[in-house]
Amino acid sequence: LDAQGGVLGQVTALLDKGMLSKMVEAVDVGAKGVVAVALAADGRLLLRLPATPDAVNLVPESDFLHRLIESGENLGTVRVSGVFDSVERVYAFRRIADYPLYVAGGLAVEDVLAEWRKTLAVSVALADALLLDVADALLLAGVVAAALAAASYARTSEIST
């Protein structure tokens, strides 16, 4: 820019999407997770994995993450539904310092809770088994106590006759 704010020229930088894609593919975000790289200026999607070819280079109409970047947030987490597939995810995002980009990674709530639900099901099954064992033990103790009481009564009856 010149002293009056006029444009003097333009700077162009090339981004190797293949190399960027390889770095992004190394991130494990689960079966329904997503990693995306977008322009901070307008939210234009540069890269998304899993790939959404129709969405690349489009400005999303209602991108909550981009609104956070526009408001001055440089990093954070948020739980929202995906713009392109409506899958509810917990996203972590970060603006890349000195570059007009931000990166976001989202873990699908369903994927995150699936492991927890498995653990819960096993825990409930173990608790049920334990309660049944305790109930069986109490029932057995009641039967034994009743048998002992009957035997004691029988001996007392014999002695008194």
Side-chain angles (χ1 to χ4, degrees):
L1 299 176
D2 63 16
Q4 289 77 36
V7 176
L8 295 175
Q10 179 177 334
V11 175
T12 302
L14 297 177
L15 182 64
D16 184 350
K17 284 189 180 180
M19 188 170 108
L20 186 60
S21 180
K22 284 181 185 177
M23 289 189 317
V24 169
E25 286 172 356
V27 180
D28 180 13
V29 289
K32 293 185 179 179
V34 67
V35 177
V37 179
L39 289 175
D42 61 5
R44 188 176 309 266
L45 191 63
L46 299 177
L47 176 71
R48 180 183 188 273
L49 291 177
T52 309
D54 295 342
V56 173
N57 214 23
L58 291 179
V59 177
E61 293 178 20
S62 60
D63 187 351
F64 188 76
L65 291 174
H66 179 65
R67 283 189 300 219
L68 290 171
I69 293 291
E70 280 185 318
S71 73
E73 295 287 330
N74 288 323
L75 66 115
T77 57
V78 64
R79 183 175 172 169
V80 293
S81 293
V83 174
F84 300 108
D85 59 9
S86 300
V87 173
E88 185 180 13
R89 295 184 181 93
V90 176
Y91 286 91
F93 66 93
R94 182 178 187 98
R95 185 170 179 153
I96 302 172
D98 300 328
Y99 293 94
L101 306 171
Y102 67 94
V103 64
L107 300 177
V109 171
E110 182 181 320
D111 290 346
V112 172
L113 293 180
E115 191 62 36
W116 176 81
R117 286 183 179 122
K118 272 196 249 178
T119 302
L120 177 64
V122 169
S123 297
V124 167
L126 289 173
D128 282 351
L130 179 63
L131 285 174
L132 284 174
D133 286 347
V134 168
D136 286 347
L138 289 174
L139 182 61
L140 182 60
V143 168
V144 169
L148 289 174
S152 175
Y153 177 76
R155 272 191 290 236
T156 308
S157 297
E158 264 180 32
I159 296 173
S160 58
T161 54

